[in-house]
Amino acid sequence: MATNPVTDEFSAADREGDLEVSRGRFAEAARHFAHASGLQPGNPAALFKWARACFDDSRLDEAEALLERAAMIAPNHEAILRLQAQIHARRADWPALARTARGWASVNPRNPEAWRALAQAEIETGFLRQAIQSLRRSIDFGARDAASLAMFARLCLTAMEFEQVAAALDASEKAGPPSAGLLATRAALAMYSGRAADAEGYSRRAVALDPNDATAWSLLAQAARSRLPEAETASIALLAERTDLPLDSRIKVAFALAGCRDATGEASAFAEWTRANTLCGERSAAAGFGYDTAARTRQVDELIRLFPSVPAGKPGSERPRPVFIIGMPRSGTTLIESVIGAHPDVFACGERPTMRFVMQEFLPMARGQGKAAIPESVFARWREYYQSDLPAIGGAAVVTDKNPWNFDAVGLILRLFPEARIIHLRRNPVDTGFSIFRNEFSKFMGFAHRLEDIAHYYSEYTRLMAHWERVAGGRITTVHYEEFVRDFDTAGPALLAACGLDWRDSCREFWKSTRVINSMSALQVREPLSSGTSRSWRYAKELRPLAAALRQRGIDPETGNRLS
């Protein structure tokens, strides 16, 4: 029987390509698949194999161009969409991944991989609530393996959906033997619940399974207050030198090592914090979140312009009444919420992300058409959205939201919630800045990685808060952290009164609470109040650039007041 020479040549090239792939020689495989595709230019499978080989050879631009050609021949083919998603993830192009994943999910709404890809994009862009929904769909449609369930538990923990965390962890263990990631998540939940010994135990089990698990080492250091045996500190130090680890892992172990050095009084601690923050800066810059001082100043200018005044508070019976606890990060908001949250009429909600999403909608609308042109129905929708996003609060009359970043939303908060109480925390700027510098912040907080940027951000925060205090009058109560801890017997009842609450003795013993606290201060607020001594004095020399930058920006480094 006669054969077709072109078909035979195509089959031979295709087989050679498959053979090279099996050998891990992707450049050679791509050459054979390119030849096969040239013989059959309309064959989408040949183009896909060529693109796959290019992807495996880290030639992402070439792979993407080939996939575009394949998609024109075979639109909405799931293999093409899957590889496109992988390319976007490899590049950390999260908006592109979200677009591709949504398209993939529309082609096959029951494909768990599509929803998982969408969840990854939403996690990386900060939309945790949406990510939970997407990952839940992935699990519902078949991804019920231990790794997926453990990932879901970690996501719920980050998003403060605590009631779902334990159930997801239990389901993950039933689906397979516990992994290092699962044990690390159990460690985090134990730590946020105030069970430091359990957190240490889970963390040690995790690193026994995977000595390279940076998250587990980080949690172990936090649970042990960085007082680890020499052998464990040495293991962290070795990991900190591993440049082959993912950037996120290198950051975690660098901060953990810095904490261990600090706990033993070693002079190298500040250098380790500097290294950790340098890596954080690289991560933020790569993701497009590097700190732009001019842009931040413009943002504050815009907020002041949008709110030359705020609506006067109106008597009402809003229930639950929100109490917003705001200020710089690491200024004591967790402590203040713990004291208020110990009142029997209060449900402490932690750092709610909801107002951040409302602000993302509000600013473009106000910028485009003016605040006055926004219909009342839109404000009502935002108000309802905030209230509907609260956890189950039982019969609580008051809820607290301690998201410190809400200091830029004061004008909108008072517009939405006339009955809201706002508690503003102010702490010594050098202590605040140092605490920011020695803790890991997400890639979205680009200001947190250089002392000079921290000073700039602090100065813009004080400028904005001075404006809010001018236009909102007595609707904001400013609490000075140092005075609060020094004279709690006076300051504690005054705080409760500012929230419209009577004093209860349970507020004095706030540290006995068993509620889950997802905060860097989760263990600190499990102990009786102590005025203590500022840690920044030990690093006075290293912190001189922070103090100098604050003065240059017109801020008193001791009080946070603006200098005349």
Side-chain angles (χ1 to χ4, degrees), residues 231-536:
E232 291 179 340
T233 300
S235 295
I236 293 173
L238 286 174
L239 277 183
E241 299 302 323
R242 291 269 303 276
T243 58
D244 60 312
L245 292 177
L247 185 56
D248 285 348
S249 296
R250 295 174 64 196
I251 289 169
K252 288 188 183 304
V253 293
F255 275 110
L257 180 60
C260 292
R261 299 292 191 227
D262 176 61
T264 54
E266 296 181 48
S268 62
F270 202 89
E272 295 296 344
W273 279 315
T274 300
R275 171 164 66 165
N277 277 288
T278 298
L279 295 172
C280 282
E282 293 175 6
R283 178 175 64 182
S284 290
F289 296 107
Y291 188 59
D292 185 332
T293 56
R296 179 56 187 164
T297 298
R298 289 194 299 270
Q299 289 168 358
V300 172
D301 288 341
E302 180 179 44
L303 288 166
I304 292 173
R305 177 182 59 79
L306 286 172
F307 287 97
S309 63
V310 294
K314 298 177 182 178
S317 57
E318 192 172 287
R319 190 178 177 94
R321 185 176 71 251
V323 172
F324 291 87
I325 303 167
I326 62 171
M328 282 287 288
R330 308 299 298 155
S331 62
T333 54
T334 302
L335 168 64
I336 294 301
E337 184 183 49
S338 296
V339 174
I340 300 171
H343 194 286
D345 293 339
V346 176
F347 190 97
C349 295
E351 293 186 16
R352 307 303 298 173
T354 324
M355 278 304 303
R356 314 314 311 145
F357 297 136
V358 173
M359 285 292 286
Q360 287 175 8
E361 281 194 35
F362 166 76
L363 286 174
M365 293 178 69
R367 192 179 298 130
Q369 61 193 57
K371 184 184 64 170
I374 299 176
E376 182 58 39
S377 60
V378 173
F379 287 106
R381 175 170 62 80
W382 287 333
R383 188 180 305 113
E384 181 181 354
Y385 170 58
Y386 183 89
Q387 292 169 332
S388 65
D389 198 48
L390 292 172
I393 63 169
V398 172
V399 294
T400 57
D401 181 339
K402 66 160 288 284
N403 192 321
W405 314 102
N406 283 337
F407 72 78
D408 69 351
V410 169
L412 184 57
I413 287 170
L414 294 177
R415 172 68 175 80
L416 295 176
F417 305 104
E419 292 294 295
R421 307 294 175 94
I422 295 181
I423 307 297
H424 167 221
L425 259 291
R426 177 174 287 179
R427 182 185 176 193
N428 175 293
V430 172
D431 287 346
T432 302
F434 181 38
S435 187
I436 290 170
F437 194 72
R438 66 175 190 262
N439 285 280
E440 180 187 355
F441 281 80
S442 79
K443 64 185 178 184
F444 305 109
M445 310 306 171
F447 78 92
H449 317 311
R450 291 179 66 249
L451 295 177
E452 293 80 3
D453 288 342
I454 293 171
H456 181 272
Y457 192 88
Y458 192 101
S459 72
E460 291 301 314
Y461 141 77
T462 60
R463 184 163 72 95
L464 183 56
M465 284 309 307
H467 170 73
W468 294 136
E469 288 170 346
R470 280 194 300 271
V471 300
R475 302 173 73 185
I476 300 172
T477 299
T478 297
V479 175
H480 294 271
Y481 175 82
E482 290 80 9
E483 295 176 8
F484 186 83
V485 298
R486 185 168 54 247
D487 188 12
F488 181 77
D489 287 344
T490 301
L495 171 66
L496 270 292
C499 298
L501 295 163
D502 58 341
W503 176 253
R504 298 294 181 89
D505 286 341
S506 58
C507 299
R508 186 182 305 279
E509 298 183 328
F510 64 88
W511 48 275
K512 293 183 177 180
S513 171
T514 58
R515 70 184 181 91
V516 181
I517 301 173
N518 186 352
S519 165
M520 296 174 184
S521 305
L523 293 179
Q524 290 173 273
V525 296
R526 306 292 184 181
E527 299 174 350
L529 195 62
S530 170
S531 57
T533 303
S534 167
R535 296 174 63 190
S536 59

